[in-house]
Amino acid sequence: EMCIRDSRTTSVAASLLPEAGLGRRIAWVVASCFWACAFLALASFNTEDWPSHVVSVHNDPAANLLGKVGAAFAYWTYAYLGVGVWVPVLLAGVALAFLAMGRPVHHPVVRGIGAFMMMVAVSCLHAAWMPTFGTLTGADAGMLPLWATEQLASRFGGVGSSLFLLGALLVGALVA
């Protein structure tokens, strides 16, 4: 028995994740939706949205494209992790694009650890070099990067901690 397939009727889903089963395609769509929500929430962050500590009267409705939920996600992400959070978000987007093209992403956990290392290094470099440049007054570079940079600087000085963080960024890039 022979199955004839007309190339004009091939669906978009068939070209998405070639050789992947239905479960993997569904997982890719769900992951892509989560990625798009995180990207939009972070990209449309507004310091005047709730729960920001920068203003006393918040936007109503929220200026964030994902409303109050997106505003809260973006606020707490930037407040704790800083701008380095864009590194894993963008690398996750690249990984999703590779999967959509049918290219496998080998060792995703190891690559995720590399992306995490890069995120920490970028946020800490921001805290070391430009601690008062950012949108969240009092936590411009993120609370955890500010603390980590303070700990490094107290032990290794400004130049030593910068060299350490640049090395961590390069190692993270090699791992990712």
Side-chain angles (χ1 to χ4, degrees):
E1 196 175 319
M2 196 174 200
C3 183
I4 299 174
R5 184 180 215 171
D6 186 3
S7 63
R8 294 173 294 180
T9 61
T10 304
S11 68
V12 174
S15 66
L16 178 71
L17 303 171
E19 302 177 16
L22 181 62
R24 287 186 183 225
R25 288 183 183 164
I26 291 171
W28 184 89
V29 169
V30 169
S32 296
C33 289
F34 277 117
W35 179 85
C37 287
F39 182 88
L40 290 173
L42 291 170
S44 64
F45 174 68
N46 188 317
T47 57
E48 297 175 7
D49 285 343
W50 175 87
S52 178
H53 68 277
V54 177
V55 296
S56 60
V57 179
H58 297 104
N59 290 335
D60 190 27
N64 193 294
L65 293 175
L66 295 172
K68 286 187 176 186
V69 172
F73 170 78
Y75 172 78
W76 291 112
T77 302
Y78 283 133
Y80 280 103
L81 301 176
V83 296
V85 75
W86 279 103
V87 173
V89 168
L90 295 176
L91 289 177
V94 169
L96 288 168
F98 273 34
L99 290 172
M101 293 185 292
R103 298 187 61 192
V105 177
H106 300 290
H107 310 293
V109 174
V110 174
R111 292 179 187 275
I113 292 169
F116 178 78
M117 289 173 65
M118 289 174 66
M119 175 191 72
V120 170
V122 166
S123 290
C124 286
L125 284 169
H126 177 212
W129 295 345
M130 302 174 284
T132 59
F133 179 75
T135 55
L136 291 173
T137 305
D140 297 297
M143 288 187 263
L144 295 175
L146 285 169
W147 174 83
T149 303
E150 180 183 311
Q151 297 302 311
L152 282 171
S154 70
R155 289 164 176 78
F156 303 107
V159 174
S161 60
S162 291
L163 288 174
F164 177 82
L165 292 170
L166 287 170
L169 179 65
L170 292 174
V171 168
L174 289 173
V175 172

mmCIF file of all heavy atoms in Angstrom, residues 100-153:
data_model
loop_
_atom_site.group_PDB
_atom_site.id
_atom_site.type_symbol
_atom_site.label_atom_id
_atom_site.label_comp_id
_atom_site.label_asym_id
_atom_site.label_seq_id
_atom_site.Cartn_x
_atom_site.Cartn_y
_atom_site.Cartn_z
ATOM 1 N N ALA A 100 12.638 24.534 15.680
ATOM 2 C CA ALA A 100 11.624 24.703 14.640
ATOM 3 C C ALA A 100 12.194 24.397 13.260
ATOM 4 O O ALA A 100 11.480 23.937 12.373
ATOM 5 C CB ALA A 100 11.063 26.123 14.668
ATOM 6 N N MET A 101 13.483 24.653 13.073
ATOM 7 C CA MET A 101 14.136 24.372 11.788
ATOM 8 C C MET A 101 14.589 22.922 11.673
ATOM 9 O O MET A 101 15.150 22.529 10.658
ATOM 10 C CB MET A 101 15.339 25.294 11.601
ATOM 11 C CG MET A 101 14.962 26.736 11.434
ATOM 12 S SD MET A 101 16.374 27.791 11.064
ATOM 13 C CE MET A 101 17.289 27.744 12.592
ATOM 14 N N GLY A 102 14.385 22.150 12.737
ATOM 15 C CA GLY A 102 14.771 20.749 12.691
ATOM 16 C C GLY A 102 16.199 20.487 13.123
ATOM 17 O O GLY A 102 16.705 19.383 12.959
ATOM 18 N N ARG A 103 16.852 21.497 13.663
ATOM 19 C CA ARG A 103 18.217 21.326 14.145
ATOM 20 C C ARG A 103 18.164 21.014 15.632
ATOM 21 O O ARG A 103 17.598 21.774 16.409
ATOM 22 C CB ARG A 103 19.025 22.591 13.889
ATOM 23 C CG ARG A 103 19.132 22.886 12.398
ATOM 24 C CD ARG A 103 20.047 24.004 12.109
ATOM 25 N NE ARG A 103 21.395 23.644 12.578
ATOM 26 C CZ ARG A 103 22.375 24.516 12.663
ATOM 27 N NH1 ARG A 103 22.167 25.780 12.354
ATOM 28 N NH2 ARG A 103 23.563 24.140 13.070
ATOM 29 N N PRO A 104 18.766 19.926 16.051
ATOM 30 C CA PRO A 104 18.701 19.560 17.473
ATOM 31 C C PRO A 104 19.565 20.477 18.327
ATOM 32 O O PRO A 104 20.553 21.036 17.871
ATOM 33 C CB PRO A 104 19.249 18.129 17.491
ATOM 34 C CG PRO A 104 20.147 18.056 16.301
ATOM 35 C CD PRO A 104 19.516 18.955 15.253
ATOM 36 N N VAL A 105 19.163 20.638 19.568
ATOM 37 C CA VAL A 105 19.947 21.375 20.553
ATOM 38 C C VAL A 105 20.511 20.327 21.502
ATOM 39 O O VAL A 105 19.793 19.771 22.329
ATOM 40 C CB VAL A 105 19.083 22.405 21.310
ATOM 41 C CG1 VAL A 105 19.901 23.111 22.375
ATOM 42 C CG2 VAL A 105 18.478 23.401 20.341
ATOM 43 N N HIS A 106 21.797 20.061 21.343
ATOM 44 C CA HIS A 106 22.435 19.038 22.158
ATOM 45 C C HIS A 106 22.743 19.582 23.550
ATOM 46 O O HIS A 106 23.123 20.731 23.701
ATOM 47 C CB HIS A 106 23.724 18.554 21.490
ATOM 48 C CG HIS A 106 23.495 17.957 20.137
ATOM 49 N ND1 HIS A 106 22.860 16.760 19.967
ATOM 50 C CD2 HIS A 106 23.785 18.422 18.896
ATOM 51 C CE1 HIS A 106 22.785 16.487 18.671
ATOM 52 N NE2 HIS A 106 23.335 17.490 18.000
ATOM 53 N N HIS A 107 22.611 18.751 24.542
ATOM 54 C CA HIS A 107 22.921 19.069 25.936
ATOM 55 C C HIS A 107 22.220 20.348 26.409
ATOM 56 O O HIS A 107 22.872 21.302 26.840
ATOM 57 C CB HIS A 107 24.429 19.199 26.142
ATOM 58 C CG HIS A 107 25.215 18.051 25.596
ATOM 59 N ND1 HIS A 107 25.140 16.787 26.132
ATOM 60 C CD2 HIS A 107 26.070 17.968 24.549
ATOM 61 C CE1 HIS A 107 25.923 15.977 25.446
ATOM 62 N NE2 HIS A 107 26.491 16.662 24.478
ATOM 63 N N PRO A 108 20.892 20.392 26.374
ATOM 64 C CA PRO A 108 20.186 21.621 26.748
ATOM 65 C C PRO A 108 20.405 22.040 28.199
ATOM 66 O O PRO A 108 20.429 23.227 28.502
ATOM 67 C CB PRO A 108 18.716 21.298 26.473
ATOM 68 C CG PRO A 108 18.631 19.813 26.476
ATOM 69 C CD PRO A 108 19.965 19.320 26.003
ATOM 70 N N VAL A 109 20.606 21.097 29.105
ATOM 71 C CA VAL A 109 20.822 21.454 30.510
ATOM 72 C C VAL A 109 22.174 22.148 30.664
ATOM 73 O O VAL A 109 22.288 23.170 31.344
ATOM 74 C CB VAL A 109 20.717 20.206 31.422
ATOM 75 C CG1 VAL A 109 21.086 20.541 32.854
ATOM 76 C CG2 VAL A 109 19.310 19.627 31.355
ATOM 77 N N VAL A 110 23.196 21.618 30.019
ATOM 78 C CA VAL A 110 24.522 22.226 30.090
ATOM 79 C C VAL A 110 24.493 23.605 29.456
ATOM 80 O O VAL A 110 25.063 24.567 29.989
ATOM 81 C CB VAL A 110 25.571 21.312 29.413
ATOM 82 C CG1 VAL A 110 26.929 21.993 29.350
ATOM 83 C CG2 VAL A 110 25.666 19.988 30.137
ATOM 84 N N ARG A 111 23.820 23.742 28.330
ATOM 85 C CA ARG A 111 23.702 25.044 27.678
ATOM 86 C C ARG A 111 22.920 26.027 28.558
ATOM 87 O O ARG A 111 23.218 27.213 28.602
ATOM 88 C CB ARG A 111 23.053 24.899 26.311
ATOM 89 C CG ARG A 111 23.935 24.158 25.331
ATOM 90 C CD ARG A 111 23.268 24.003 23.986
ATOM 91 N NE ARG A 111 24.027 23.156 23.114
ATOM 92 C CZ ARG A 111 25.030 23.564 22.351
ATOM 93 N NH1 ARG A 111 25.396 24.828 22.371
ATOM 94 N NH2 ARG A 111 25.673 22.728 21.564
ATOM 95 N N GLY A 112 21.923 25.525 29.267
ATOM 96 C CA GLY A 112 21.179 26.368 30.207
ATOM 97 C C GLY A 112 22.056 26.860 31.352
ATOM 98 O O GLY A 112 21.938 28.008 31.786
ATOM 99 N N ILE A 113 22.940 25.993 31.828
ATOM 100 C CA ILE A 113 23.880 26.411 32.875
ATOM 101 C C ILE A 113 24.799 27.501 32.338
ATOM 102 O O ILE A 113 25.089 28.482 33.031
ATOM 103 C CB ILE A 113 24.674 25.195 33.401
ATOM 104 C CG1 ILE A 113 23.739 24.252 34.167
ATOM 105 C CG2 ILE A 113 25.849 25.627 34.268
ATOM 106 C CD1 ILE A 113 24.339 22.904 34.502
ATOM 107 N N GLY A 114 25.255 27.361 31.092
ATOM 108 C CA GLY A 114 26.087 28.396 30.475
ATOM 109 C C GLY A 114 25.334 29.709 30.339
ATOM 110 O O GLY A 114 25.889 30.790 30.603
ATOM 111 N N ALA A 115 24.061 29.633 29.953
ATOM 112 C CA ALA A 115 23.247 30.848 29.836
ATOM 113 C C ALA A 115 23.057 31.497 31.205
ATOM 114 O O ALA A 115 23.098 32.730 31.321
ATOM 115 C CB ALA A 115 21.890 30.516 29.211
ATOM 116 N N PHE A 116 22.879 30.675 32.240
ATOM 117 C CA PHE A 116 22.755 31.202 33.601
ATOM 118 C C PHE A 116 24.039 31.897 34.027
ATOM 119 O O PHE A 116 24.010 32.980 34.625
ATOM 120 C CB PHE A 116 22.396 30.066 34.569
ATOM 121 C CG PHE A 116 22.286 30.509 35.994
ATOM 122 C CD1 PHE A 116 21.166 31.181 36.443
ATOM 123 C CD2 PHE A 116 23.319 30.265 36.884
ATOM 124 C CE1 PHE A 116 21.062 31.598 37.766
ATOM 125 C CE2 PHE A 116 23.232 30.675 38.202
ATOM 126 C CZ PHE A 116 22.105 31.349 38.643
ATOM 127 N N MET A 117 25.190 31.290 33.722
ATOM 128 C CA MET A 117 26.479 31.911 34.052
ATOM 129 C C MET A 117 26.627 33.251 33.344
ATOM 130 O O MET A 117 27.088 34.232 33.942
ATOM 131 C CB MET A 117 27.631 30.984 33.652
ATOM 132 C CG MET A 117 27.766 29.752 34.500
ATOM 133 S SD MET A 117 29.006 28.596 33.871
ATOM 134 C CE MET A 117 30.499 29.551 34.066
ATOM 135 N N MET A 118 26.227 33.299 32.085
ATOM 136 C CA MET A 118 26.314 34.557 31.335
ATOM 137 C C MET A 118 25.380 35.601 31.928
ATOM 138 O O MET A 118 25.740 36.773 32.024
ATOM 139 C CB MET A 118 25.979 34.311 29.865
ATOM 140 C CG MET A 118 27.046 33.539 29.122
ATOM 141 S SD MET A 118 26.546 33.118 27.441
ATOM 142 C CE MET A 118 26.438 34.733 26.704
ATOM 143 N N MET A 119 24.175 35.189 32.337
ATOM 144 C CA MET A 119 23.223 36.116 32.929
ATOM 145 C C MET A 119 23.793 36.741 34.199
ATOM 146 O O MET A 119 23.750 37.956 34.375
ATOM 147 C CB MET A 119 21.909 35.403 33.260
ATOM 148 C CG MET A 119 20.901 36.278 33.998
ATOM 149 S SD MET A 119 19.501 35.374 34.666
ATOM 150 C CE MET A 119 20.253 34.500 36.024
ATOM 151 N N VAL A 120 24.338 35.902 35.056
ATOM 152 C CA VAL A 120 24.909 36.398 36.308
ATOM 153 C C VAL A 120 26.076 37.334 36.016
ATOM 154 O O VAL A 120 26.185 38.415 36.609
ATOM 155 C CB VAL A 120 25.340 35.223 37.211
ATOM 156 C CG1 VAL A 120 26.142 35.704 38.397
ATOM 157 C CG2 VAL A 120 24.120 34.440 37.666
ATOM 158 N N ALA A 121 26.931 36.961 35.081
ATOM 159 C CA ALA A 121 28.098 37.781 34.765
ATOM 160 C C ALA A 121 27.683 39.133 34.185
ATOM 161 O O ALA A 121 28.226 40.175 34.579
ATOM 162 C CB ALA A 121 29.013 37.044 33.800
ATOM 163 N N VAL A 122 26.734 39.141 33.267
ATOM 164 C CA VAL A 122 26.287 40.408 32.666
ATOM 165 C C VAL A 122 25.654 41.307 33.730
ATOM 166 O O VAL A 122 25.939 42.506 33.800
ATOM 167 C CB VAL A 122 25.303 40.147 31.493
ATOM 168 C CG1 VAL A 122 24.578 41.402 31.081
ATOM 169 C CG2 VAL A 122 26.045 39.554 30.308
ATOM 170 N N SER A 123 24.804 40.744 34.567
ATOM 171 C CA SER A 123 24.164 41.545 35.616
ATOM 172 C C SER A 123 25.184 42.063 36.619
ATOM 173 O O SER A 123 25.099 43.211 37.063
ATOM 174 C CB SER A 123 23.085 40.737 36.329
ATOM 175 O OG SER A 123 21.987 40.516 35.477
ATOM 176 N N CYS A 124 26.150 41.242 36.970
ATOM 177 C CA CYS A 124 27.171 41.683 37.924
ATOM 178 C C CYS A 124 28.101 42.728 37.302
ATOM 179 O O CYS A 124 28.523 43.664 37.989
ATOM 180 C CB CYS A 124 27.966 40.490 38.436
ATOM 181 S SG CYS A 124 27.048 39.467 39.596
ATOM 182 N N LEU A 125 28.419 42.578 36.020
ATOM 183 C CA LEU A 125 29.221 43.610 35.354
ATOM 184 C C LEU A 125 28.459 44.932 35.313
ATOM 185 O O LEU A 125 29.037 46.001 35.494
ATOM 186 C CB LEU A 125 29.614 43.163 33.953
ATOM 187 C CG LEU A 125 30.735 42.128 33.889
ATOM 188 C CD1 LEU A 125 30.858 41.552 32.489
ATOM 189 C CD2 LEU A 125 32.049 42.733 34.357
ATOM 190 N N HIS A 126 27.155 44.856 35.085
ATOM 191 C CA HIS A 126 26.327 46.056 35.138
ATOM 192 C C HIS A 126 26.401 46.685 36.523
ATOM 193 O O HIS A 126 26.556 47.903 36.667
ATOM 194 C CB HIS A 126 24.891 45.704 34.760
ATOM 195 C CG HIS A 126 23.934 46.846 34.861
ATOM 196 N ND1 HIS A 126 22.621 46.674 35.193
ATOM 197 C CD2 HIS A 126 24.083 48.186 34.689
ATOM 198 C CE1 HIS A 126 22.009 47.846 35.225
ATOM 199 N NE2 HIS A 126 22.878 48.777 34.924
ATOM 200 N N ALA A 127 26.317 45.849 37.551
ATOM 201 C CA ALA A 127 26.383 46.356 38.924
ATOM 202 C C ALA A 127 27.759 46.938 39.240
ATOM 203 O O ALA A 127 27.864 47.912 39.986
ATOM 204 C CB ALA A 127 26.042 45.240 39.908
ATOM 205 N N ALA A 128 28.809 46.352 38.671
ATOM 206 C CA ALA A 128 30.168 46.829 38.962
ATOM 207 C C ALA A 128 30.502 48.114 38.210
ATOM 208 O O ALA A 128 31.145 49.005 38.762
ATOM 209 C CB ALA A 128 31.181 45.744 38.603
ATOM 210 N N TRP A 129 30.072 48.198 36.977
ATOM 211 C CA TRP A 129 30.481 49.314 36.130
ATOM 212 C C TRP A 129 29.484 50.466 36.111
ATOM 213 O O TRP A 129 29.871 51.616 35.935
ATOM 214 C CB TRP A 129 30.738 48.842 34.711
ATOM 215 C CG TRP A 129 31.906 47.898 34.596
ATOM 216 C CD1 TRP A 129 32.879 47.667 35.528
ATOM 217 C CD2 TRP A 129 32.208 47.057 33.494
ATOM 218 N NE1 TRP A 129 33.771 46.736 35.065
ATOM 219 C CE2 TRP A 129 33.392 46.343 33.818
ATOM 220 C CE3 TRP A 129 31.596 46.823 32.270
ATOM 221 C CZ2 TRP A 129 33.968 45.426 32.947
ATOM 222 C CZ3 TRP A 129 32.183 45.913 31.409
ATOM 223 C CH2 TRP A 129 33.352 45.226 31.752
ATOM 224 N N MET A 130 28.193 50.151 36.221
ATOM 225 C CA MET A 130 27.160 51.194 36.171
ATOM 226 C C MET A 130 26.089 50.930 37.224
ATOM 227 O O MET A 130 24.931 50.676 36.885
ATOM 228 C CB MET A 130 26.517 51.223 34.778
ATOM 229 C CG MET A 130 27.479 51.461 33.648
ATOM 230 S SD MET A 130 26.693 51.305 32.040
ATOM 231 C CE MET A 130 26.537 49.536 31.877
ATOM 232 N N PRO A 131 26.425 50.967 38.501
ATOM 233 C CA PRO A 131 25.470 50.562 39.543
ATOM 234 C C PRO A 131 24.250 51.470 39.671
ATOM 235 O O PRO A 131 23.220 51.049 40.197
ATOM 236 C CB PRO A 131 26.300 50.585 40.825
ATOM 237 C CG PRO A 131 27.428 51.500 40.541
ATOM 238 C CD PRO A 131 27.703 51.383 39.069
ATOM 239 N N THR A 132 24.322 52.705 39.206
ATOM 240 C CA THR A 132 23.176 53.605 39.332
ATOM 241 C C THR A 132 22.482 53.849 38.001
ATOM 242 O O THR A 132 21.614 54.706 37.905
ATOM 243 C CB THR A 132 23.603 54.963 39.921
ATOM 244 O OG1 THR A 132 24.589 55.545 39.065
ATOM 245 C CG2 THR A 132 24.162 54.780 41.326
ATOM 246 N N PHE A 133 22.844 53.097 36.969
ATOM 247 C CA PHE A 133 22.208 53.239 35.659
ATOM 248 C C PHE A 133 21.183 52.130 35.495
ATOM 249 O O PHE A 133 21.512 50.953 35.459
ATOM 250 C CB PHE A 133 23.254 53.161 34.543
ATOM 251 C CG PHE A 133 22.665 53.266 33.172
ATOM 252 C CD1 PHE A 133 22.233 54.484 32.690
ATOM 253 C CD2 PHE A 133 22.531 52.144 32.376
ATOM 254 C CE1 PHE A 133 21.681 54.580 31.420
ATOM 255 C CE2 PHE A 133 21.981 52.233 31.113
ATOM 256 C CZ PHE A 133 21.556 53.461 30.625
ATOM 257 N N GLY A 134 19.925 52.508 35.437
ATOM 258 C CA GLY A 134 18.854 51.538 35.284
ATOM 259 C C GLY A 134 17.521 52.179 35.594
ATOM 260 O O GLY A 134 17.431 53.371 35.878
ATOM 261 N N THR A 135 16.489 51.392 35.532
ATOM 262 C CA THR A 135 15.141 51.922 35.687
ATOM 263 C C THR A 135 14.596 51.809 37.103
ATOM 264 O O THR A 135 13.672 52.524 37.458
ATOM 265 C CB THR A 135 14.178 51.205 34.732
ATOM 266 O OG1 THR A 135 14.261 49.803 34.951
ATOM 267 C CG2 THR A 135 14.517 51.509 33.284
ATOM 268 N N LEU A 136 15.125 50.906 37.899
ATOM 269 C CA LEU A 136 14.596 50.695 39.250
ATOM 270 C C LEU A 136 15.511 51.345 40.279
ATOM 271 O O LEU A 136 16.550 50.792 40.641
ATOM 272 C CB LEU A 136 14.461 49.202 39.553
ATOM 273 C CG LEU A 136 13.394 48.465 38.767
ATOM 274 C CD1 LEU A 136 13.466 46.981 39.027
ATOM 275 C CD2 LEU A 136 12.030 49.002 39.114
ATOM 276 N N THR A 137 15.129 52.497 40.747
ATOM 277 C CA THR A 137 15.915 53.226 41.729
ATOM 278 C C THR A 137 16.142 52.365 42.962
ATOM 279 O O THR A 137 15.207 51.812 43.523
ATOM 280 C CB THR A 137 15.196 54.529 42.124
ATOM 281 O OG1 THR A 137 14.926 55.267 40.949
ATOM 282 C CG2 THR A 137 16.035 55.346 43.070
ATOM 283 N N GLY A 138 17.383 52.256 43.369
ATOM 284 C CA GLY A 138 17.737 51.451 44.533
ATOM 285 C C GLY A 138 18.128 50.036 44.189
ATOM 286 O O GLY A 138 18.815 49.378 44.960
ATOM 287 N N ALA A 139 17.695 49.542 43.044
ATOM 288 C CA ALA A 139 18.057 48.195 42.583
ATOM 289 C C ALA A 139 18.293 48.240 41.081
ATOM 290 O O ALA A 139 17.816 47.386 40.340
ATOM 291 C CB ALA A 139 16.971 47.200 42.933
ATOM 292 N N ASP A 140 19.028 49.267 40.628
ATOM 293 C CA ASP A 140 19.203 49.492 39.195
ATOM 294 C C ASP A 140 19.776 48.278 38.471
ATOM 295 O O ASP A 140 19.365 47.967 37.364
ATOM 296 C CB ASP A 140 20.111 50.707 38.968
ATOM 297 C CG ASP A 140 19.494 51.979 39.506
ATOM 298 O OD1 ASP A 140 18.432 52.360 39.003
ATOM 299 O OD2 ASP A 140 20.067 52.555 40.436
ATOM 300 N N ALA A 141 20.745 47.615 39.073
ATOM 301 C CA ALA A 141 21.367 46.466 38.434
ATOM 302 C C ALA A 141 20.786 45.139 38.931
ATOM 303 O O ALA A 141 21.202 44.085 38.480
ATOM 304 C CB ALA A 141 22.874 46.494 38.684
ATOM 305 N N GLY A 142 19.857 45.186 39.833
ATOM 306 C CA GLY A 142 19.288 43.980 40.418
ATOM 307 C C GLY A 142 19.867 43.738 41.799
ATOM 308 O O GLY A 142 21.059 43.981 42.030
ATOM 309 N N MET A 143 19.048 43.274 42.712
ATOM 310 C CA MET A 143 19.503 43.103 44.093
ATOM 311 C C MET A 143 20.556 42.013 44.232
ATOM 312 O O MET A 143 21.555 42.201 44.921
ATOM 313 C CB MET A 143 18.304 42.814 44.999
ATOM 314 C CG MET A 143 17.422 44.042 45.202
ATOM 315 S SD MET A 143 16.131 43.753 46.405
ATOM 316 C CE MET A 143 14.769 43.361 45.324
ATOM 317 N N LEU A 144 20.357 40.865 43.597
ATOM 318 C CA LEU A 144 21.342 39.786 43.706
ATOM 319 C C LEU A 144 22.665 40.151 43.040
ATOM 320 O O LEU A 144 23.727 39.913 43.635
ATOM 321 C CB LEU A 144 20.760 38.485 43.152
ATOM 322 C CG LEU A 144 19.579 37.920 43.939
ATOM 323 C CD1 LEU A 144 18.985 36.704 43.249
ATOM 324 C CD2 LEU A 144 19.989 37.579 45.351
ATOM 325 N N PRO A 145 22.671 40.743 41.835
ATOM 326 C CA PRO A 145 23.954 41.165 41.258
ATOM 327 C C PRO A 145 24.657 42.243 42.078
ATOM 328 O O PRO A 145 25.892 42.221 42.196
ATOM 329 C CB PRO A 145 23.579 41.698 39.873
ATOM 330 C CG PRO A 145 22.309 41.034 39.544
ATOM 331 C CD PRO A 145 21.603 40.846 40.848
ATOM 332 N N LEU A 146 23.899 43.175 42.661
ATOM 333 C CA LEU A 146 24.529 44.187 43.511
ATOM 334 C C LEU A 146 25.207 43.542 44.719
ATOM 335 O O LEU A 146 26.340 43.894 45.074
ATOM 336 C CB LEU A 146 23.493 45.216 43.969
ATOM 337 C CG LEU A 146 23.052 46.234 42.931
ATOM 338 C CD1 LEU A 146 21.842 47.014 43.424
ATOM 339 C CD2 LEU A 146 24.187 47.178 42.587
ATOM 340 N N TRP A 147 24.542 42.576 45.336
ATOM 341 C CA TRP A 147 25.116 41.885 46.485
ATOM 342 C C TRP A 147 26.348 41.087 46.069
ATOM 343 O O TRP A 147 27.395 41.150 46.726
ATOM 344 C CB TRP A 147 24.070 40.966 47.125
ATOM 345 C CG TRP A 147 24.645 40.129 48.210
ATOM 346 C CD1 TRP A 147 24.839 40.492 49.514
ATOM 347 C CD2 TRP A 147 25.133 38.787 48.100
ATOM 348 N NE1 TRP A 147 25.407 39.459 50.207
ATOM 349 C CE2 TRP A 147 25.603 38.401 49.366
ATOM 350 C CE3 TRP A 147 25.201 37.887 47.042
ATOM 351 C CZ2 TRP A 147 26.142 37.141 49.594
ATOM 352 C CZ3 TRP A 147 25.746 36.634 47.274
ATOM 353 C CH2 TRP A 147 26.207 36.274 48.539
ATOM 354 N N ALA A 148 26.241 40.325 44.966
ATOM 355 C CA ALA A 148 27.371 39.495 44.525
ATOM 356 C C ALA A 148 28.568 40.349 44.146
ATOM 357 O O ALA A 148 29.710 40.012 44.474
ATOM 358 C CB ALA A 148 26.937 38.629 43.343
ATOM 359 N N THR A 149 28.323 41.464 43.477
ATOM 360 C CA THR A 149 29.413 42.349 43.080
ATOM 361 C C THR A 149 30.070 42.976 44.306
ATOM 362 O O THR A 149 31.292 43.121 44.361
ATOM 363 C CB THR A 149 28.892 43.437 42.130
ATOM 364 O OG1 THR A 149 28.275 42.792 41.017
ATOM 365 C CG2 THR A 149 30.010 44.314 41.628
ATOM 366 N N GLU A 150 29.275 43.325 45.297
ATOM 367 C CA GLU A 150 29.822 43.871 46.535
ATOM 368 C C GLU A 150 30.721 42.846 47.225
ATOM 369 O O GLU A 150 31.796 43.180 47.730
ATOM 370 C CB GLU A 150 28.678 44.293 47.462
ATOM 371 C CG GLU A 150 29.121 44.867 48.777
ATOM 372 C CD GLU A 150 27.931 45.194 49.669
ATOM 373 O OE1 GLU A 150 26.991 45.855 49.189
ATOM 374 O OE2 GLU A 150 27.946 44.777 50.839
ATOM 375 N N GLN A 151 30.280 41.590 47.228
ATOM 376 C CA GLN A 151 31.081 40.526 47.836
ATOM 377 C C GLN A 151 32.391 40.325 47.078
ATOM 378 O O GLN A 151 33.456 40.177 47.688
ATOM 379 C CB GLN A 151 30.279 39.219 47.888
ATOM 380 C CG GLN A 151 29.043 39.275 48.737
ATOM 381 C CD GLN A 151 29.330 39.660 50.167
ATOM 382 O OE1 GLN A 151 30.217 39.090 50.809
ATOM 383 N NE2 GLN A 151 28.602 40.632 50.677
ATOM 384 N N LEU A 152 32.323 40.305 45.750
ATOM 385 C CA LEU A 152 33.541 40.142 44.949
ATOM 386 C C LEU A 152 34.491 41.318 45.139
ATOM 387 O O LEU A 152 35.695 41.135 45.302
ATOM 388 C CB LEU A 152 33.186 39.990 43.472
ATOM 389 C CG LEU A 152 32.672 38.636 43.019
ATOM 390 C CD1 LEU A 152 32.168 38.710 41.586
ATOM 391 C CD2 LEU A 152 33.764 37.589 43.152
ATOM 392 N N ALA A 153 33.959 42.539 45.082
ATOM 393 C CA ALA A 153 34.795 43.734 45.192
ATOM 394 C C ALA A 153 35.464 43.824 46.557
ATOM 395 O O ALA A 153 36.609 44.288 46.657
ATOM 396 C CB ALA A 153 33.970 44.983 44.916
#
